[in-house]
Amino acid sequence: MSIPKTQKQWLITGADKDFDGLVYQDAPVPTPGDHEVLVHLHGASLNYRDLIIPKGTYPFPLNLPVVAGSDGAGEVVAVGSKVTKWKKGDKVLTLFNQGHQRGDMDIKASKTGLGGCFDGTLRQFGTFAETGVAKMPSNLNYVESASLVCAALTSWNALYGLKPLKKGQWVVTQGTGGVSLFALQFAKAAGAHVIATTSSAEKAEMLKKMGADHVLNYREDVNWGETARKLTPGGEGVEHVIEVGGADTFTQSLSAVKMEGVISVIGFLGGAAPKDNILETLSRVCTVRGVYVGSREQLEAMVAEIEKHDIHPVLDKTVFTLDKAKEAYEYMWAKKHTGKIPITIE
């Protein structure tokens, strides 16, 4: 293909204008540097973090204005003179924190987030460091692959980054957002038992179809943490809690977790001021760990697992095109979605 000179993109102009700060504009197609690749993006997706950046409540570093979005997948259409990893035609997905290659997150890597500090994926073409993309899973299409970048890698890191999940262990997931559904899929692939929470009978059916061993309705059972604990062998509790609710769910997560278990704190959908005392980690003998996506090494391991078990992301039934991305933000903010929101890019 011949590479055009200009393209369409969504720019976040500030963190004080809500979604009105998102501007759809024409921009030049960037030229890759010596160690960069130019990717023609074909798929993207949204995360809760994309919504709270223009709303001004994102807790990680930002460098605005910036092209929106972290989740992208596409085809390499040009490579810099010193690139050795990729060639034209390779199908790749983006690495959320471009500087997080392996091992622990550090301050430097935390300032390399796509769609926050570095220009992101809600555009037709993007340049990325050759170490800032990874091979797309061979069993997935562009939009499915894009949806893995933030939510899937976060849940992978939660389950494998500190105390790797083992066959036969127990996991609690909360709700039907992207991170929670990926955690359910990864846990079942590992031969673990999953207790999922939800608020609707319809979503409970979906979770059961996906392999959840038990589904608890958190509206009907406000003490679902205790219920979850009682479902485990000897009532000892679960090894992993995927904590996305914040203030609304943390008390129950502490009730559910086993001694020496891990509560991975990923979101605060229910508020950011929990009512629990941090010293409960002592009386519960548990680890509470903040998780900020994951490294390229983890991304590659996750892609291999997705191929091995033919895991397909749950995508919402409503598909948005790039020009309608702001509508996708509104749709997600209104909580109309299940799983990941698909965005196609021409």
Side-chain angles (χ1 to χ4, degrees), residues 49 124 126 175 184 189 192 206 216 230 240 250 271 296 305 331:
R49 103 20 126 160
Q124 292 169 295
L184 167 56
M206 183 191 91
L216 307 178
K230 285 175 183 158
H240 285 276
F250 204 82
R296 182 168 62 90
E305 187 81 354
Y331 180 85

Side-chain angles (χ1 to χ4, degrees), residues 143-160:
V143 176
E144 288 176 315
S145 297
S147 78
L148 306 173
V149 170
C150 178
L153 185 54
T154 301
S155 66
W156 180 265
N157 188 358
L159 294 172
Y160 290 102

Side-chain angles (χ1 to χ4, degrees), residues 190-211:
H193 307 280
V194 177
I195 303 169
T197 69
T198 187
S199 60
S200 83
E202 187 189 357
K203 286 182 173 174
E205 275 314 301
M206 183 191 91
L207 289 162
K208 281 176 192 157
K209 279 201 184 95
M210 288 180 67

Side-chain angles (χ1 to χ4, degrees), residues 208-223:
K208 281 176 192 157
K209 279 201 184 95
M210 288 180 67
D213 299 273
H214 304 276
V215 181
L216 307 178
N217 186 316
Y218 60 80
R219 291 229 168 95
E220 292 166 10
D221 181 1
V222 290
N223 296 314

